[in-house]
Amino acid sequence: MLRAVYVRTLKEGVTDDQYIDAWMPEGTARDDYPARVTISHSTVDERSTVTVFEFEGDPEHVLDDLGALVRPDWRDRVAALVDHTDVETIFVETVAYGSVEAPASA
């Protein structure tokens, strides 16, 4: 499992839909998107986001895999909506466990 992770501060007034449209390949429906995507906003600054793309791929050919996930001009389109990017990297999952359920009370 590969994870492309972006930590960005969006410009004032930018919506999640605008942000998604900046990279989503034209004609691709969210239900048909070939990766799991999560966008999270900070609890103290709603403009601060973490975007994670999870997809199967070969770390050696990750740039080839990204071609199916983004528009050819995605960098320019996203840059128009973002004040700055703090993190832009790809991780390889090495360990996974647990669930996303609420923790049990002590």
Side-chain angles (χ1 to χ4, degrees), residues 1-86:
M1 173 76 64
L2 299 176
R3 284 190 181 85
V5 178
Y6 303 88
V7 178
R8 295 184 166 121
T9 300
L10 302 178
K11 291 182 178 177
E12 189 69 42
V14 172
T15 66
D16 286 344
D17 287 336
Q18 290 171 312
Y19 183 48
I20 292 166
D21 188 52
W23 77 71
M24 179 81 74
E26 235 175 322
T28 302
R30 290 184 193 182
D31 290 342
D32 298 328
Y33 195 67
R36 180 174 186 267
V37 178
T38 59
I39 299 172
S40 304
H41 292 264
S42 167
T43 59
V44 295
D45 178 1
E46 67 182 24
R47 293 174 48 223
S48 179
T49 65
V50 175
T51 307
V52 179
F53 295 76
E54 296 178 333
F55 57 98
E56 294 297 332
D58 179 352
E60 303 277 328
H61 300 103
V62 70
L63 296 179
D64 297 331
D65 295 335
L66 286 178
L69 301 177
V70 294
R71 294 172 180 256
D73 60 345
W74 73 273
R75 286 194 181 277
D76 293 335
R77 294 172 59 92
V78 168
L81 304 176
V82 169
D83 272 342
H84 57 89
T85 298
D86 296 312

Side-chain angles (χ1 to χ4, degrees), residues 102-106:
S105 298

